[in-house]
Amino acid sequence: MFLNMFYSIVKGMLSILIWLFFKFKVFGVENIPKEGGVIIASNHASYLDIPFLACGIGRSCDFVAKSELFSNRVFGWILKRLGTFPVKRGSIDRWAISETIRRLGDGRVIVIYPEGARSKDGRLSEPKRGIGMVVALSGAKVIPSFIMGTDSVLPRGAKRIRPNPVRLYLGSPLDFSSLISVKKGKELYTQISEEIMMGIGDLEAKAKGMD
């Protein structure tokens, strides 16, 4: 009860700021199922991706974040109360994979960054196999997502802050059940991850075409 209340209060406050002061628009929110576990697979260009995604997705969602963010006790406590949980980068974190699958089974929305880290230049990079493994083991559907503008929402050196617009594009659900039934292991994980990144790339092209 406390966790739900804490999440709702923080999200409510962020939503007011984001929708009032930033030119935030969301496209494709109807693609997110109203209930049941689902993965949101997004590009990652800024720490601001987290609040914008949380407010734009609609449903309560949990984030998979690098374990280093939890090193500060206070910040780590806040992150956990907001549904975020850690993953160790650089190797297969079996606990994080198991926790992700458990939460999906509980009907949660889980946000995962397939690239495994923030992009330093805004370009999409090769995905890690982790998201492919999670999808293969859970059978969850995936909503590809592309968020644009969070890396430059507050221009540096501006005498007067004039936020740049932020856009969130959510694609149609990807169902890998047929592929999972005929392939196994690393080959399967790699193919799922690559197809998810292709979905994100398609949204990027769409976003830049509309800009």
Side-chain angles (χ1 to χ4, degrees), residues 8 22 29 33 49 52 54 59 65 67 72 86 90 103 118 129 131 150 166-168 184 189 209:
S8 296
F22 299 92
V29 70
D49 294 339
F52 277 94
R59 288 178 59 185
S67 58
N72 181 288
R103 296 192 187 205
R118 283 183 298 122
R129 281 202 302 261
I131 190 170
T150 51
V166 175
R167 303 286 185 263
L168 173 61
K184 303 292 180 183
Y189 307 154

Side-chain angles (χ1 to χ4, degrees), residues 104-179:
L104 287 168
D106 288 342
R108 301 289 298 171
V109 177
I110 309 294
V111 179
I112 300 177
Y113 302 116
E115 298 161 284
R118 283 183 298 122
S119 171
K120 294 181 179 180
D121 58 8
R123 297 180 181 177
L124 298 181
S125 58
E126 293 295 319
K128 305 299 183 183
R129 281 202 302 261
I131 190 170
M133 181 181 292
V134 168
V135 173
L137 295 176
S138 67
K141 292 183 179 180
V142 181
I143 305 291
S145 165
F146 182 76
I147 188 165
M148 182 170 69
T150 51
D151 57 338
S152 59
V153 67
L154 296 177
R156 294 181 179 180
K159 294 181 180 179
R160 184 177 180 181
I161 297 178
R162 295 179 180 176
N164 289 319
V166 175
R167 303 286 185 263
L168 173 61
Y169 299 82
L170 298 161
S172 300
L174 301 177
D175 186 347
F176 295 96
S177 55
S178 297
L179 184 62

Side-chain angles (χ1 to χ4, degrees), residues 16-63:
I16 292 172
L17 291 173
I18 285 174
W19 294 104
L20 281 180
F21 297 103
F22 299 92
K23 300 175 182 179
F24 186 40
K25 290 186 179 180
V26 181
F27 303 90
V29 70
E30 68 277 2
N31 290 321
I32 299 176
K34 297 186 182 299
E35 58 183 20
V38 67
I39 296 171
I40 307 293
S42 178
N43 64 310
H44 191 22
S46 167
Y47 286 121
L48 289 177
D49 294 339
I50 295 175
F52 277 94
L53 281 165
C55 294
I57 289 170
R59 288 178 59 185
S60 296
C61 53
D62 299 343
F63 288 79

